[in-house]
């Protein structure tokens, strides 16, 4: 961790502020969001489908508006969008704690989602702009702060929500309000060069045509969809598997908690060293390819566990063991999968973010990030539906290894796709995308 702090301090102050920015954003977000569903269903008594509607509006608004947020960042400047996004999330979080009507909750959820769509592409484009040739290192440190916020946020949320959910919302809103003021005062303004098409003299459609004409970027975005489907399984199939194996609800809660703690702590402790190790040995394309292959390998402990010792019910219940050694043995394949999946994600992420900037030719960077996030969000939704279908099919056909085999194949397929793009020279900087030549009006 000291190496990470030392490396963070080696960057200029604006980049350091962006590290702090993401750390604080994640503390505020994960302080509140994991407990929102319980508040909506328990405290407010909403039906399950209404809870799903409120949560779905946030996700749909954020994923669907990333392209808009990125476009605005390129046209108005990165700082303005970061400040605007944090302001909207302040309002959205405050409303979530103190409104109880469905329309007001939907508005609050939409504000919270749109806020993320505004500041996420802007933060990454700003970081890429100021880090310069040290982009890969900067994104590695950025991910450490990102993961640290995910670890700390829920712990604070447990303490605050134990008192009242309204207190949690108030503190989360106060965190974003403080962050808004800090960035408005201390973060220098940054915007694309005036020679970029992403300025006020060119239409938004011109910007979008420029990005959509970038063949290498579009192919890379499509090839990377699987990586997001795989990495998201830390939140979907791995917790479900722990609950399937656990002998009781208390053991399941402990297991899921250990899953997230192990993943978060591993990311915080090893990201910078892993990135430095990979940079010394591999090109960005090689690092991404190997990381994706490792994502596929991550599900082999679960595959082997089901092939070698298939069970028709919870393994913990079958053994009757509720001791820590017994639970550790039961959960070992899931935790091993989480560790490998986390390591694979740590390999991929910094090089992935740098490749997006490289493929953009340093033009319309935020717009590229916005479209990339939108494509990834759609892919996650489709992938989760497919994964859920695989789980149901596995139960119906009594083939528990089916989901793990499918996820492993997906990792290998994504690695092969990136390898082919790299061999074809489509992951390296080429000529900037063509745009119509016309005078700004």
């Amino acid at each position: 961790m000291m190496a990470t702090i030392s490396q963070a301090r080696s960057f200029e102050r604006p980049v350091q502020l962006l590290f702090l920015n993401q750390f604080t954003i994640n503390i505020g977000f994960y302080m509140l969001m994991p407990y929102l569903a319980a508040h909506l269903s328990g405290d407010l008594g909403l039906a399950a489908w209404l809870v799903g509607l409120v949560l779905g509006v946030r996700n749909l608004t954020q994923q669907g508006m990333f392209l808009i947020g990125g476009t605005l960042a390129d046209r108005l400047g990165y700082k303005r969008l970061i400040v605007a996004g944090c302001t909207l999330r302040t309002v959205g979080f405050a409303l979530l704690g103190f409104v109880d009507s469905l329309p007001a909750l939907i508005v609050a959820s939409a504000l919270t989602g749109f806020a993320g769509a505004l500041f996420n592409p802007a933060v990454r484009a700003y970081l890429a702009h100021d880090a310069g040739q040290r982009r890969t290192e900067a994104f590695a440190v950025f991910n450490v702060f990102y993961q640290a916020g995910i670890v700390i946020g829920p712990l604070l949320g447990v303490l605050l929500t134990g008192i009242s959910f309204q207190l949690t919302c108030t503190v989360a809103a106060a965190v974003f309000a403080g962050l808004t003021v800090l960035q408005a005062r201390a973060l220098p303004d940054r915007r694309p060069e005036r020679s970029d098409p992403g300025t006020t003299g060119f239409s938004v459609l011109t910007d979008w045509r420029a990005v959509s004409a970038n063949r290498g970027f579009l192919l890379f975005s499509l090839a990377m969809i699987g990586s997001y489907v795989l990495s998201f399984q830390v939140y979907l199939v791995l917790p479900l598997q722990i609950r399937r194996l656990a002998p009781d609800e208390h053991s399941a809660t402990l297991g899921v908690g250990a899953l997230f703690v192990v993943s978060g702590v591993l990311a915080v402790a090893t990201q910078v060293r892993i990135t430095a190790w990979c940079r010394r040995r591999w090109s960005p394309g090689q690092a991404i390819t190997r990381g994706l292959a490792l994502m596929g390998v991550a599900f082999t402990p679960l595959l082997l566990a089901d092939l070698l010792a298939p069970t028709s019910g919870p393994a913990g219940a079958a053994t009757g063991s509720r001791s820590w050694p017994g639970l550790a043995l039961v959960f070992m394949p899931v935790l091993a999968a989480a560790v490998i999946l986390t390591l694979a994600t740590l390999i991929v992420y910094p090089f992935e973010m740098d490749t997006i900037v490289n493929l953009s030719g340093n033009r319309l960077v935020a717009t590229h990030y916005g479209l990339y996030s939108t494509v990834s969000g759609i892919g996650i939704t489709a992938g989760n539906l497919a994964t859920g279908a695989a789980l149901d099919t596995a139960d119906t056909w009594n083939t528990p290894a089916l989901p793990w085999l499918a996820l492993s194949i997906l990792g290998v397929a994504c690695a092969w796709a990136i390898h082919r793009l790299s061999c074809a020279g489509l992951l390296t900087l080429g000529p900037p995308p063509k745009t119509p030549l016309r005078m700004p009006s």
Side-chain angles (χ1 to χ4, degrees):
M1 189 62 190
M2 294 305 297
T4 301
I5 294 174
S6 175
Q7 190 157 10
R9 294 177 63 183
S10 70
F11 288 95
E12 297 294 330
R13 186 177 179 186
V15 175
Q16 295 177 19
L17 283 172
L18 293 175
F19 295 153
L20 177 63
N21 170 10
Q22 194 60 54
F23 174 66
T24 312
I25 283 174
N26 277 12
I27 286 180
F29 182 84
Y30 288 97
M31 179 192 303
L32 185 152
M33 291 307 296
Y35 313 104
L36 178 58
H39 167 69
L40 295 174
S41 60
D43 298 340
L44 301 186
L46 295 184
W49 73 271
L50 290 176
V51 174
L53 174 63
V54 173
L55 297 179
V57 164
R58 187 210 68 81
N59 187 67
L60 179 63
T61 305
Q62 180 161 318
Q63 298 293 343
M65 299 297 285
F66 269 130
L67 179 57
I68 301 296
T71 300
L72 291 174
D74 278 327
R75 299 174 73 84
L76 302 178
Y78 306 141
K79 176 181 176 177
R80 292 184 184 181
L81 270 292
I82 294 171
V83 172
C86 288
T87 302
L88 279 184
R89 187 155 283 183
T90 301
V91 176
F93 276 2
L95 285 175
L96 284 174
F98 295 95
V99 299
D100 53 14
S101 68
L102 182 61
L105 288 168
I106 289 176
V107 169
S109 186
L111 287 175
T112 300
F114 187 47
L118 292 180
F119 60 63
N120 272 325
V123 166
R124 284 153 180 77
Y126 196 133
L127 184 65
H129 180 282
D130 272 36
Q133 297 302 313
R134 299 182 64 194
R135 286 194 305 257
T136 304
E137 298 172 55
F139 279 116
V141 177
F142 180 83
N143 196 42
V144 171
F145 282 84
Y146 186 99
Q147 296 294 335
I150 293 178
V151 172
I152 295 174
L155 299 178
L156 294 176
V158 167
L159 298 176
L160 295 171
T161 305
I163 301 173
S164 76
F165 185 74
Q166 286 73 24
L167 177 61
T168 303
C169 290
T170 301
V171 173
V175 167
F176 274 95
L179 189 59
T180 301
V181 173
L182 173 64
Q183 292 174 128
R185 292 173 61 90
L187 198 62
D189 195 18
R190 292 287 188 273
R191 61 181 64 234
E193 297 295 330
R194 285 294 175 181
S195 59
D196 236 356
T199 56
T200 56
F202 292 83
S203 71
V204 170
L205 291 179
T206 301
D207 295 349
W208 291 355
R209 281 197 296 268
V211 175
S212 63
N214 191 335
R215 180 169 174 263
F217 167 74
L218 293 180
L219 291 174
F220 178 72
S221 300
L222 293 173
M224 290 298 292
I225 286 176
S227 73
Y228 283 85
V229 175
L230 294 172
S231 61
F232 193 84
Q233 300 317 310
V234 171
Y235 304 98
L236 182 60
V237 298
L238 297 188
L240 288 176
Q241 182 70 355
I242 282 180
R243 293 190 179 281
R244 185 179 77 87
L245 296 173
D248 52 49
E249 184 61 28
H250 178 66
S251 299
T253 301
L254 290 176
V256 173
L259 177 74
F260 290 117
V261 168
V262 167
S263 179
V265 170
L266 185 63
V268 171
T270 64
Q271 173 71 85
V272 170
R273 295 183 184 278
I274 286 175
T275 301
W277 188 89
C278 293
R279 286 190 71 196
R280 290 194 299 268
R281 290 164 175 80
W282 302 328
S283 68
Q286 290 173 329
I288 296 172
T289 299
R290 286 162 170 78
L292 291 174
L294 189 60
M295 283 187 180
V297 172
F299 297 94
T300 55
L302 295 163
L303 177 64
L304 293 174
D306 279 331
L307 288 176
L308 297 177
T311 60
S312 58
T319 62
S321 173
R322 299 191 183 190
S323 65
W324 277 109
L327 288 176
L329 183 63
V330 168
F331 294 150
M332 188 61 69
V334 186
L335 294 178
V339 168
I340 298 172
L341 191 58
T342 299
L343 290 173
T345 304
L346 299 181
I347 292 172
V348 170
Y349 179 79
F351 298 98
E352 169 196 5
M353 293 293 104
D354 182 62
T355 298
I356 295 170
V357 181
N358 192 34
L359 289 172
S360 75
N362 278 310
R363 303 172 66 194
L364 299 168
V365 175
T367 305
H368 280 81
Y369 275 129
L371 180 58
Y372 186 83
S373 297
T374 297
V375 171
S376 301
I378 294 171
I380 288 173
T381 301
N384 286 346
L385 290 174
T387 302
L391 290 170
D392 290 340
T393 302
D395 289 338
T396 302
W397 293 355
N398 194 28
T399 52
L402 177 63
W404 319 129
L405 180 61
L407 291 168
S408 295
I409 292 174
L410 178 60
V412 173
C414 290
W416 177 83
I418 293 297
H419 173 69
R420 296 299 301 166
L421 291 177
S422 181
C423 290
L426 292 173
L427 298 186
T428 56
L429 180 62
K434 295 180 180 179
T435 56
L437 296 177
R438 63 182 179 84
M439 292 299 293
S441 57

